[in-house]
């Protein structure tokens, strides 16, 4: 699916504009696979999880972490997602709207399926008791943030405004991931796996949308 549309195009054009996405996608998938391997086969990442869990016992900032994790949860992100789809539809950006729907649906389904298969217990906490690996909040946050940057970055003609959008977006999903660790509802590896899987899924959807011949023009 990725190589076929470019088999008759110059390699220079291919390498300059398109090779970065699949490389980053493969790196993200590799990181997720290593986290999964470590959890299933009880590798050294479990010691890292235990150490991070022990040093993040900070009762003074749990309220802030709770606010961030609730803001990055399904309900509020769903509201923001609906607003985003509405904005894209009003501007008749159907391609981005369809891509966003596919990406978010996958971000909701993927963690549920993997959690049911891995069945990893969460750290001891009084908030959540379902399975832990990977972090659904981390997946949803990074997919949503990536969609915002991908869909609206060209609307910001000023470079400073564009960089501000990117910095705020990156800070959001990083803060969500850290909040899950502080609240002891996820292990460190859960969050890293969620972020890497979410980034892989987003870029996979982008690759399919951009590089299957005829799909872009048909729905643009």
């Amino acid at each position: 699916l990725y190589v076929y549309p470019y088999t008759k195009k110059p390699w220079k054009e291919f390498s300059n504009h398109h090779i970065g996405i699949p490389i980053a996608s493969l790196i993200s998938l590799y990181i997720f696979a290593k986290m999964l391997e470590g959890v299933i086969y009880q590798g050294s990442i479990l010691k890292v999880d235990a150490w991070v869990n022990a040093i993040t016992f900070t009762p003074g900032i749990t309220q802030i972490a709770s606010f961030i994790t609730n803001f990055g949860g399904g309900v509020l992100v769903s509201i923001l997602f609906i607003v985003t789809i509405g904005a894209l539809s009003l501007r008749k950006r159907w391609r981005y709207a369809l891509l966003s729907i596919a990406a978010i649906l996958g971000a909701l389904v993927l963690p549920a399926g993997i959690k049911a298969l891995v069945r990893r217990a969460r750290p001891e906490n009084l908030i959540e008791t379902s399975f832990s690996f990977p972090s659904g909040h981390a997946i949803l946050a990074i997919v949503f943030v990536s969609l915002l940057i991908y869909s609206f970055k060209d609307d910001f003609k000023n470079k400073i405004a564009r960089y501000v959008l990117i910095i705020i977006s990156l800070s959001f999903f990083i803060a969500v991931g850290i909040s899950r660790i502080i609240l002891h509802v996820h292990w460190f590896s859960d969050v890293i796996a969620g972020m890497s899987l979410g980034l892989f899924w987003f870029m996979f959807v982008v690759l399919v949308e951009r590089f299957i011949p005829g799909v872009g023009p048909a729905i643009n």
Side-chain angles (χ1 to χ4, degrees), residues 95-124:
R95 179 165 63 95
Y96 290 106
L98 291 175
L99 179 143
S100 299
I101 293 172
I104 290 295
L105 287 177
L108 294 173
V109 173
L110 277 174
I114 297 174
K115 285 181 180 182
L117 291 174
V118 178
R119 304 176 68 86
R120 187 187 193 187
R122 292 181 184 266
E124 292 184 9

Side-chain angles (χ1 to χ4, degrees), residues 12-215:
K12 183 178 181 180
E13 177 186 345
F14 176 83
S15 61
N16 286 345
H17 300 287
H18 305 291
I19 198 66
I21 294 178
I23 289 177
S25 182
L26 290 175
I27 292 174
S28 299
L29 183 61
Y30 174 78
I31 293 173
F32 170 76
K34 294 303 292 183
M35 294 298 104
L36 178 62
E37 178 186 33
V39 169
I40 292 178
Y41 296 106
Q42 298 185 353
S44 58
I45 190 62
L46 298 187
K47 296 181 180 179
V48 177
D49 286 340
W51 177 74
V52 173
N53 184 266
I55 65 172
T56 53
F57 182 73
T58 49
I61 62 173
T62 53
Q63 290 184 344
I64 298 175
S66 296
F67 172 79
I68 294 173
T69 200
N70 289 330
F71 188 79
V75 176
L76 289 176
V77 168
S78 297
I79 295 173
L80 294 174
F81 173 68
I82 292 172
V83 172
T84 301
I85 293 296
L88 292 173
S89 300
L90 287 174
R91 298 185 180 189
K92 296 184 179 180
R93 296 183 180 179
W94 309 116
R95 179 165 63 95
Y96 290 106
L98 291 175
L99 179 143
S100 299
I101 293 172
I104 290 295
L105 287 177
L108 294 173
V109 173
L110 277 174
I114 297 174
K115 285 181 180 182
L117 291 174
V118 178
R119 304 176 68 86
R120 187 187 193 187
R122 292 181 184 266
E124 292 184 9
N125 68 87
L126 302 176
I127 303 174
E128 300 179 24
T129 57
S130 58
F131 295 123
S132 184
F133 185 94
S135 169
H137 277 68
I139 294 176
L140 190 61
I142 196 169
V143 169
F144 180 69
V145 161
S146 300
L147 286 171
L148 285 181
I149 296 174
Y150 185 71
S151 300
F152 296 105
K153 66 182 187 304
D154 294 334
D155 293 334
F156 294 85
K157 304 303 180 183
N158 186 287
K159 287 186 177 181
I160 295 178
R162 187 180 301 178
Y163 290 144
V164 169
L165 169 67
I166 294 174
I167 291 172
I168 291 175
S169 300
L170 294 178
S171 300
F172 168 71
F173 82 77
I174 292 174
V176 169
I178 294 175
S179 71
R180 303 299 287 171
I181 298 173
I182 291 175
L183 293 174
H184 287 188
V185 294
H186 276 295
W187 302 101
F188 171 77
S189 57
D190 298 339
V191 173
I192 297 300
M195 289 182 175
S196 56
L197 180 61
L199 189 58
F200 166 77
W201 170 248
F202 168 75
M203 289 188 290
F204 174 79
V205 174
V206 169
L207 287 174
V208 172
E209 175 265 330
R210 289 178 63 180
F211 302 133
I212 293 182
V215 171

